[in-house]
């Protein structure tokens, strides 16, 4: 059965109420990211697209933006969908696929018999749903990402468009692939670096800016992983984490630097890549940049709910507009990682590899304390 889109209907107050699309977010507790993505998300999205149920959609591991915590066992599905299509088409389809997927023991351990309306958890307050308390599934209309409070609704909407495209690229290249190695950990880590570089190449003017940003990425990630690991002896832990991350880079140094240099040179020379999906991603990054970096950008920014220099991850002198810009790019990179299933310590290793590769290419030898 084909879904109904509002653009095909005569506009009345009644049709606007039930057929006008809005952002709806579904949080789902999972047992295995890669298996769930292949077995549930891929066929679900294909059917949503073929039946015209939602105009846009993407997935990611759920993330607490303020803490930087990525929930490795919670998938977040985001749809631009009407209340009618959600209730009549999407919800029954999703329930069917989830009930076919889940092992009974997994559900029994969560005290759930089946996925249905009875087990849905709703918002606990006006700020949204507390993912730390998620049992199996929650649904939230008019979801507002915390990044909205930093760069505004308009810019978050633009980044959301990029998130839809990154979702498509990753699903097509990795999770729909018939090649066994496509979902291997090494291939996923390699793809992350391939996707990072077009982002920072689009949004920064030179290698030094890119390197400063990547240095902050490493510092910010260390700070966030520290909170997750509940660290007490900070100095000893920090030194070990940096040494481990640097060792990870040294073990694959030639590969990281060679790959980074190859992508930068190709982008600078405006050459197409052999990988069609990568060309699609590069184009999407440039389109996103053109929409974000406009003359009146500051007019779209809301008043910050805090004094930005009180952010404990800021360790260099920074203007407020630079702070907001960096947060937006950070969100995009976190989105890529969450769609690839990359969390915490692997994320730290990858951001550090990016930083060290840029340092080598820029000829820099800076150490930020």
């Amino acid at each position: 059965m084909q879904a109904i889109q509002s653009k095909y209907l005569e506009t009345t107050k009644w049709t606007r109420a039930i057929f006008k699309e809005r952002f709806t977010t579904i949080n789902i507790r999972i047992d295995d990211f890669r298996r769930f993505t292949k077995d549930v998300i891929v066929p679900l999205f294909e059917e949503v697209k073929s039946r015209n149920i939602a105009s846009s959609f993407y997935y990611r591991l759920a993330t607490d933006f303020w803490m930087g915590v990525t929930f490795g066992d919670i998938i977040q599905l985001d749809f631009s969908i009407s209340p009618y299509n959600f209730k009549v088409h999407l919800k029954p389809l999703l329930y069917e696929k989830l009930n076919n997927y889940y092992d009974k023991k997994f559900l029994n351990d969560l005290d759930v018999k089946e996925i249905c309306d009875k087990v849905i958890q709703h918002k606990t307050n006006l700020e949204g749903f507390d993912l730390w308390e998620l049992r199996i599934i929650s649904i939230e209309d008019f979801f507002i990402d915390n990044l909205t409070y930093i760069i505004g609704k308009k810019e978050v909407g633009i980044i959301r468009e990029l998130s839809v495209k990154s979702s498509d690229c990753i699903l097509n290249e990795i999770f729909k692939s018939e090649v066994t190695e496509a979902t291997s950990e090494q291939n996923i880590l390699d793809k992350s670096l391939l996707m990072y570089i077009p982002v920072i190449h689009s949004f920064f003017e030179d290698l030094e800016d890119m390197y400063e940003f990547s240095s902050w990425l490493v510092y910010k990630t260390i700070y966030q992983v520290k909170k997750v690991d509940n660290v007490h002896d900070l100095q000893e832990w920090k030194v070990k984490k940096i040494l481990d991350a640097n060792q990870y880079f040294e073990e694959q140094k030639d590969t990281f630097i060679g790959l980074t240099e190859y992508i930068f040179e190709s982008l600078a020379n405006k050459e197409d890549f052999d990988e069609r999906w990568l060309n699609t991603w590069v184009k999407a990054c440039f389109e996103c940049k053109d929409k974000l970096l406009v003359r009146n950008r500051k007019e779209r920014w809301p008043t910050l709910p805090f004094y930005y220099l009180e952010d404990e991850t800021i360790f260099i002198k920074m203007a407020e507009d630079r702070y907001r810009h960096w947060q937006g790019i950070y969100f995009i990179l976190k989105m890529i990682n969450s769609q690839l299933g990359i969390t915490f310590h692997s994320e730290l290793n990858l951001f550090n590899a990016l930083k060290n590769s840029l340092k080598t290419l820029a000829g820099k030898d800076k150490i930020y304390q």
Side-chain angles (χ1 to χ4, degrees), residues 197-246:
I197 297 172
V199 174
I200 62 173
H201 181 272
S202 299
F203 287 98
F204 294 97
E205 293 182 356
D206 54 47
L207 279 172
E208 181 154 352
D209 285 344
M210 297 175 196
Y211 175 64
E212 276 201 342
F213 171 75
S214 64
S215 297
W216 171 73
L217 270 183
V218 173
Y219 183 90
K220 184 178 181 69
T221 306
I222 288 175
Y223 177 81
Q224 291 165 339
V225 173
K226 175 200 72 175
K227 292 190 291 185
V228 174
D229 284 0
N230 195 23
V231 175
H232 299 289
D233 190 342
L234 176 59
Q235 191 58 36
E236 181 180 345
W237 175 89
K238 182 178 178 182
V239 169
K240 186 178 186 305
K241 282 296 173 190
I242 293 174
L243 288 175
D244 289 346
N246 283 335

Side-chain angles (χ1 to χ4, degrees), residues 132-147:
W132 297 98
E133 301 297 326
L134 180 68
R135 182 169 56 163
I136 185 69
I137 185 170
S138 71
I139 296 175
E140 182 175 347
D141 290 323
F142 305 109
F143 175 75
I144 298 176
D145 203 292
N146 287 328
L147 183 66

Side-chain angles (χ1 to χ4, degrees), residues 61 99 145 199 264 342:
L61 285 173
N99 283 316
D145 203 292
V199 174
F264 271 121
I342 296 170

Side-chain angles (χ1 to χ4, degrees), residues 29 64 67 69 71 74 129-135 228:
R29 187 168 296 282
D64 183 320
M67 287 188 67
V69 175
F71 296 84
I74 299 176
F129 186 81
D130 184 0
L131 290 175
W132 297 98
E133 301 297 326
L134 180 68
R135 182 169 56 163
V228 174

Side-chain angles (χ1 to χ4, degrees), residues 4-11 15 19-21 82 85:
I4 300 175
Q5 292 293 332
S6 59
K7 62 184 177 182
Y8 301 120
L9 296 170
E10 180 182 353
T11 302
T15 57
F19 292 109
K20 183 178 180 180
E21 290 193 340
S82 69
N85 282 349

